[in-house]
């Protein structure tokens, strides 16, 4: 009887464990009523709190888009600021549901770290910024031999920096900090000659310095930095929801669907627009994904399309004024391309 009791107890325990293990990220998110989004500790244009404490930026808005797809409400998201060192552990452990934090997609992160990147929401490259008053006459990174360079530890930036100086047979003195705020403060205080990070980040950081006009971003791009959100491996449904949220933002822009006209566009005669907005008869596109059939309508109402999100946060409608460049749609000479929603 004792052995039977132990067997029953063991079976019950295994059954409980199996039930717990079968809970998907979508189940967990719905149960708690919000998405936990891992963001940076503050990078203008990507994820940074405004003067009211509300998180702004492309990365923050992407999480709002996912919340809109899941809940029909882009406000159902909470933000967890993470340093470069903390970010992967936070996602792996389940502390956050999505990592949307100016993170470069690499093979190591996509395999050894157990992450799945959903796409490239911003194509970037590593650059250099200098104080032009401190280094007059410097207009190229190839003139930086012997410089002290501020860089954040635990990043691809740190590795690319070493590769670039070694490849060009130049010496440099790395001034390394774990937290972005520490790197910013050290550079602003003149503790190093050069600041290196993603070029988009340099434009944002420059705005926060004591004398922004004194600082110049050099022309060289020394790496490929495809930045995008990531989720944990092993949950295909959640991966698909987050991935197709990204594609929906691009498809909406390509079809001319905006935050201002999305309700009007639901009455479009275009079969493709009707399909994307869930107006096609007997559609199951949204429900097959695990959301409602008007999920794209909800996304666009929450954050607009990809182009609107870009312009508002880093583009012409923002203080950064970054040109679309390679982040334009493929129809306009850029790299942003989405599979069809059908």
């Amino acid at each position: 009887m004792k052995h039977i009791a132990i067997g029953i107890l063991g079976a019950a325990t295994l059954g409980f464990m199996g039930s717990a293990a079968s809970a998907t990220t979508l189940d967990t998110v719905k149960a708690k009523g919000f998405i936990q989004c891992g963001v940076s500790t503050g990078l203008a244009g990507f994820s940074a709190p405004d003067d009211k404490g509300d998180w702004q930026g492309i990365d923050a808005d992407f999480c709002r888009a996912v919340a809109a797809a899941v809940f029909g409400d882009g406000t159902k998201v909470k933000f967890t600021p993470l340093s470069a060192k903390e970010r992967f552990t936070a996602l792996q452990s389940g502390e956050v549901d999505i990592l949307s934090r100016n993170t470069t997609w690499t093979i190591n992160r996509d395999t050894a770290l157990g992450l799945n990147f959903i796409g490239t929401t911003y194509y970037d490259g590593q650059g250099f910024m200098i104080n032009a008053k401190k280094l007059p006459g410097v207009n190229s990174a190839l003139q930086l031999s012997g410089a002290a360079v501020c860089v954040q530890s635990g990043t691809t930036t740190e590795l690319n920096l070493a590769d670039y100086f070694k490849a060009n047979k130049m010496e440099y003195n790395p001034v390394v900090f774990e937290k972005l705020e520490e790197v910013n403060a050290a550079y602003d205080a003149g503790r190093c000659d050069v600041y290196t990070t993603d070029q988009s980040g340099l434009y944002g950081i420059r705005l926060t310095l004591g004398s922004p006009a004194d600082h110049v971003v050099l022309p060289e791009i020394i790496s490929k930095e495809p930045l995008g959100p990531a989720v944990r491996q092993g949950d295909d449904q959640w991966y698909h929801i987050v991935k197709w949220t990204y594609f929906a933002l691009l498809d909406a822009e390509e079809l001319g669907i905006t935050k201002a006209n999305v309700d009007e566009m639901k009455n479009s005669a275009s079969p493709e627009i009707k399909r994307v907005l869930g107006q096609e008869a007997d559609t199951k596109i949204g429900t097959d994904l695990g959301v409602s059939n008007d999920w794209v309508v909800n996304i666009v109402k929450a954050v607009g399309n990809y182009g609107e999100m870009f312009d508002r946060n880093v583009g012409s409608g923002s203080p950064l004024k970054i040109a679309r460049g390679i982040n334009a749609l493929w129809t306009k000479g850029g790299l942003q391309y989405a599979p069809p929603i059908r």
Side-chain angles (χ1 to χ4, degrees):
M1 289 296 292
K2 181 179 179 182
H3 293 300
I4 293 173
I6 291 172
I8 293 172
L9 179 62
T13 302
L14 287 172
F16 173 78
M17 290 173 63
S19 175
S22 66
T24 66
T25 305
L26 182 61
D27 292 334
T28 304
V29 162
K30 285 185 173 180
K32 64 186 178 183
F34 60 88
I35 292 170
Q36 197 74 45
C37 176
V39 290
S40 75
T41 53
L43 180 61
F46 289 84
S47 52
D50 61 18
D51 54 6
K52 296 179 181 177
D54 296 325
W55 285 85
Q56 307 296 338
I58 284 181
D59 292 339
D61 275 352
F62 181 78
C63 283
R64 291 189 178 97
V66 178
V70 172
F71 295 107
D73 184 348
T75 67
K76 291 187 178 294
V77 57
K78 295 184 179 181
F79 298 98
T80 300
L82 300 166
S83 70
K85 183 178 179 180
E86 298 166 334
R87 56 185 165 171
F88 300 125
T89 303
L91 181 59
Q92 292 162 340
S93 68
E95 180 184 346
V96 297
D97 305 306
I98 304 171
L99 181 65
S100 187
R101 187 206 172 282
N102 56 292
T103 297
T104 302
W105 184 356
T106 71
I107 187 171
N108 177 264
R109 293 169 177 180
D110 213 23
T111 55
L113 295 187
L115 310 183
N116 274 333
F117 283 80
I118 62 90
T120 302
T121 49
Y122 190 96
Y123 290 94
D124 208 348
Q126 185 172 330
F128 298 93
M129 179 167 63
I130 63 168
N131 185 325
K133 286 190 173 181
K134 187 177 178 181
L135 296 176
V138 173
N139 52 34
S140 168
L142 294 173
Q143 296 172 276
L144 296 177
S145 186
V149 184
C150 275
V151 63
Q152 189 175 12
S153 63
T155 61
T156 55
T157 307
E158 187 179 14
L159 303 177
N160 295 334
L161 173 65
D163 287 349
Y164 181 76
F165 274 78
K166 183 177 181 180
N168 287 286
K169 297 180 173 58
M170 299 190 301
E171 300 292 328
Y172 75 104
N173 176 31
V175 183
V176 182
F177 299 92
E178 178 185 333
K179 296 181 179 179
L180 184 66
E181 297 88 344
E182 295 172 335
V183 189
N184 295 352
Y187 175 75
D188 203 17
R191 292 180 59 185
C192 44
D193 306 307
V194 185
Y195 194 137
T196 185
T197 189
D198 298 337
Q199 194 175 72
S200 62
L202 293 175
Y203 284 109
I205 291 161
R206 183 170 63 178
L207 296 177
T208 70
L209 301 175
S211 301
D214 293 347
H215 301 269
V216 174
V217 178
L218 298 176
E220 284 84 1
I221 296 291
I222 69 167
S223 68
K224 294 186 293 184
E225 304 295 333
L227 308 180
V231 296
R232 289 179 294 280
Q233 289 181 7
D235 189 337
D236 285 353
Q237 183 185 38
W238 186 244
Y239 170 66
H240 289 147
I241 289 172
V242 179
K243 177 174 67 174
W244 280 96
T245 294
Y246 163 56
F247 291 150
L249 289 163
L250 295 177
D251 281 328
E253 182 183 7
E254 188 174 339
L255 293 170
I257 302 167
T258 68
K259 195 171 185 178
N261 72 15
V262 63
D263 280 327
E264 179 186 346
M265 292 290 259
K266 287 192 289 186
N267 300 314
S268 171
S270 163
E272 186 173 9
I273 291 175
K274 290 177 73 72
R275 185 181 308 118
V276 167
L277 297 182
Q279 303 303 302
E280 188 178 53
D282 302 319
T283 184
K284 291 185 179 180
I285 290 175
T287 54
D288 285 346
L289 186 60
V291 296
S292 64
N293 285 321
D294 61 350
W295 61 292
V296 180
V297 173
N298 295 331
I299 289 170
V300 176
K301 282 186 174 182
V303 300
N305 61 40
Y306 176 84
E308 291 178 291
M309 198 168 75
F310 185 100
D311 290 342
R312 180 174 62 248
N313 290 301
V314 299
S316 59
S318 78
L320 276 66
K321 308 293 183 188
I322 298 175
R324 280 291 289 270
I326 58 175
N327 285 292
L329 293 178
W330 67 285
T331 53
K332 296 182 179 179
L335 298 176
Q336 292 292 356
Y337 181 104
I341 295 175
R342 67 170 307 144

